[in-house]
Amino acid sequence: MCSIAGFYDPAADFTAKQAEFEHILRQMAHTQAHRGPDDSGIFLSGQCGLSHTRLSIIDLKNGRQPMKASMDGFDYQIVYNGEIYNLHTLRRELKKRGVHPKTSSDTETILLSYLTFGPEFVRQLDGIFAFAIYDGRHNILSLYRDSFGVKPLFYTMKNGTLIFSSEIKGLLCFPGITAKLDKNGLNELFGLGPARTPGNGVLMGVFEVKPGTCLTCSSLGFVPHTYYRLTSRPHEDSYEETIEKTRFLVTDAVRRQMISDVSVCTFLSGGVDSSLVSAVCAAELKKKGQKLTTFSFDFIDNDKYFKANSFQPSMDRPYVDQMAAFLHSDHHYLECGSHTQAELLTASVDAHDLPCMADVDSSLLYFCSEVAKSHKVVLTGECADEVFGGYPWFHKESFLTCGTFPWTPDLSPRKQILNPQLLDVLDLDTYVKNAYETAIREIPILPGENDTEVNRRRIGYLNIRFFMQTLLNRMDRTSMHSGLEARVPFADRALVDYVFNIPWEMKAKDGVVKNVLRQAARTLLPDEILFRKKSPYPKTYNPHYEQLLKENLKERLAQPDCPLLPLINTKAVDRFLEQPKDYGAPWYGQLMAGPQMIAYLLQTEYFLRKYQVSLVI
């Protein structure tokens, strides 16, 4: 994995101030060095500048970027962040055309595929990626992002110049680009956050290349082109055929995503998703005489304070113990303390350049930093619940018919802490309603589907395009902040395409949540793991942590220059801080309840202060 950044202006001559613009490129690389600590490089021409930092995973010797290829006397340059899992297939297709790569680098293969097959070659890529290709012959810059947005790619404009970067912080290195929040951004932050509308970068004038999209930039303008979208189609396989095909697609995705020139490991929670990924990895490594390394996460003293609820019915440790023994893995138990979790709330904002999933994010940031001490590549069970329907909102009628995003069915917890005047300006309800209705209009409904089936299809689509994207952002930023590459087999395009159209009576046959996946995993896992009731990523229940958050927020709000003060209702926040917190009534997803609201406010305060955000409302 890596970071990419750069700028493009079809009418400019950046070489007229070469030293100045080379310095900007190096700054863009430096600010994202955590994503690629192994190497860096820049390219500058009259109209385009490219910057790259590298985390060496494939072809450690020959994969340096920016990388150049020539055709008919013209040069083409690429900077690339990602992994391609069908690399060998692509190389075979190139050789059929008489094109012979000089390295085993996937970067070179992508650039040569672009030159050989044209811009539509991206449809053939199986992987996670964000890359930029500069066509020196035609003076065109093309930005590509993978089908589900596993890898990030932001951009903005300044006086006719397009600036792009893996992370927002890279954009802020360009002269004249500053952090501003307008009405749109505040609605994103307080109405949808920590989710975002696809393509919305929250900061004023900042956008993100949408998943499955190519942005072509030339003297004729900037044209987005969608090369992939989820499609609805009738499911014609029998139940038995569906189980068989799902098993193949899942196990094949895991095997393909093990490609690496360095050792891989897995996250293991003891749930069916991470256990299945770990089981396939362990079996593949065993064939080579190797042992899988696994990691599990928990919180210090959580065994004393844990309170089961409908969203988190059990602790992971007993199931992790069972799976580690079953796999004979080299297992490592990692624990995070309250002070560490609270301290890393600010580092999580640094990783995202935005407020994020509060301590659900900061704890994972810590765990990834520990894993990165010994590994560069990890496979995770992320995205299975979005794809296979594992969340409560797939199963309860109240969620199916709520008419809004089911992970945020009620905006009241958000609205009660905001300044009433700001609420009047923002109109959160209308903004969220419009975002929801725009999204569901994208979903093609099949003839003959009844209201319940239509609602489930909508929720399935929204989960993949909104909720899954939030978790993918979290996984990328928390892992890459420490130079750890996280791979997500359940976000494999072929798998998602297939499962999206499996009828609900198969997905949850006999009322069993994620039944198709569980049946597909038979014989690969013990039954106790296979049919364990879903329990999400762990969070702390230690009351000391909540008290720590309260003290920190009170301290910040007591500062007269606190940037949060104009945005909140201070009396309402004071009352909220004194009330007992409900750990089982989330305001976002399954994990973000009362304490996480405090943490989110702390992150927002730090974000406004650290990035010197100016308000434009």
Side-chain angles (χ1 to χ4, degrees), residues 180-320:
K180 299 177 182 178
L181 271 179
D182 58 8
K183 180 180 175 181
N184 176 290
L186 287 168
N187 269 307
E188 289 283 323
L189 199 63
F190 292 118
L192 295 177
R196 288 187 280 115
T197 303
N200 194 310
V202 180
L203 291 177
M204 186 176 175
V206 174
F207 306 94
E208 193 169 17
V209 177
K210 290 184 179 181
T213 298
C214 167
L215 182 65
T216 302
C217 314
S218 71
S219 59
L220 300 177
F222 304 144
V223 181
H225 169 62
T226 300
Y227 69 84
Y228 171 81
R229 57 169 48 91
L230 278 171
T231 58
S232 299
R233 56 182 176 271
H235 184 78
E236 298 177 347
D237 292 341
S238 68
Y239 178 68
E240 292 73 20
E241 291 169 335
T242 300
I243 298 300
E244 182 180 356
K245 189 165 184 178
T246 300
R247 182 183 178 104
F248 168 78
L249 288 171
V250 171
T251 55
D252 182 61
V254 175
R255 293 187 185 105
R256 283 186 285 107
Q257 296 195 22
M258 291 179 70
I259 182 174
S260 175
D261 289 342
V262 298
S263 61
V264 302
C265 64
T266 65
F267 292 162
L268 178 63
S269 70
V272 64
D273 311 329
S274 66
S275 296
L276 179 54
V277 170
S278 297
V280 177
C281 285
E284 290 300 301
L285 291 176
K286 186 177 180 181
K287 296 174 184 176
K288 303 175 183 178
Q290 300 172 9
K291 178 181 284 192
L292 175 67
T293 300
T294 52
F295 294 89
S296 62
F297 312 140
D298 208 341
F299 297 90
I300 295 172
D301 292 333
N302 229 22
D303 55 334
K304 298 179 183 178
Y305 300 110
F306 175 77
K307 300 174 183 177
N309 56 66
S310 60
F311 286 95
Q312 201 156 24
S314 63
M315 295 186 69
D316 288 338
R317 181 61 183 260
Y319 300 95
V320 170

Side-chain angles (χ1 to χ4, degrees), residues 307-473:
K307 300 174 183 177
N309 56 66
S310 60
F311 286 95
Q312 201 156 24
S314 63
M315 295 186 69
D316 288 338
R317 181 61 183 260
Y319 300 95
V320 170
D321 292 344
Q322 183 177 359
M323 271 307 300
F326 178 78
L327 297 172
H328 303 289
S329 65
D330 175 19
H331 188 73
H332 301 261
Y333 297 93
L334 302 179
E335 287 190 319
C336 182
S338 294
H339 280 281
T340 298
Q341 192 176 14
E343 288 170 359
L344 289 177
L345 287 172
T346 55
S348 294
V349 175
D350 293 338
H352 286 259
D353 303 312
L354 291 167
C356 48
M357 292 187 73
D359 46 51
V360 181
D361 203 280
S362 65
S363 58
L364 186 58
L365 189 79
Y366 169 74
F367 293 133
C368 286
S369 70
E370 292 296 299
V371 175
K373 292 176 180 178
S374 59
H375 287 77
K376 285 186 175 183
V377 179
V378 60
L379 275 72
T380 82
E382 203 75 74
C383 302
D385 287 315
E386 290 81 3
V387 175
F388 284 92
Y391 292 115
W393 43 79
F394 282 96
H395 304 269
K396 295 183 179 180
E397 183 67 24
S398 58
F399 285 117
L400 287 175
T401 58
C402 67
T404 188
F405 300 107
W407 47 86
T408 311
D410 183 8
L411 293 178
S412 298
R414 300 160 179 261
K415 293 164 64 176
Q416 69 178 353
I417 61 171
L418 293 180
N419 185 320
Q421 292 178 322
L422 179 66
L423 278 174
D424 289 341
V425 172
L426 297 184
D427 192 2
L428 292 182
D429 293 284
T430 299
Y431 188 88
V432 172
K433 182 174 184 289
N434 288 340
Y436 171 78
E437 291 180 349
T438 298
I440 63 173
R441 281 197 294 269
E442 300 171 359
I443 309 167
I445 303 303
L446 293 179
E449 289 186 321
N450 60 36
D451 289 346
T452 300
E453 291 166 338
V454 167
N455 286 334
R456 283 214 172 93
R457 185 174 291 280
R458 285 175 172 170
I459 282 184
Y461 181 88
L462 293 172
N463 268 266
I464 291 168
R465 280 309 187 197
F466 275 81
F467 197 73
M468 189 169 91
Q469 184 66 68
T470 305
L471 297 182
L472 288 172
N473 289 340

Side-chain angles (χ1 to χ4, degrees), residues 1 55 57 82-83 128 376-378 479-480 483-487:
M1 286 299 162
L55 180 67
I57 303 294
E83 295 296 343
I128 53 178
K376 285 186 175 183
V377 179
V378 60
S479 59
M480 291 305 294
L484 176 69
E485 175 181 310
R487 299 180 181 175

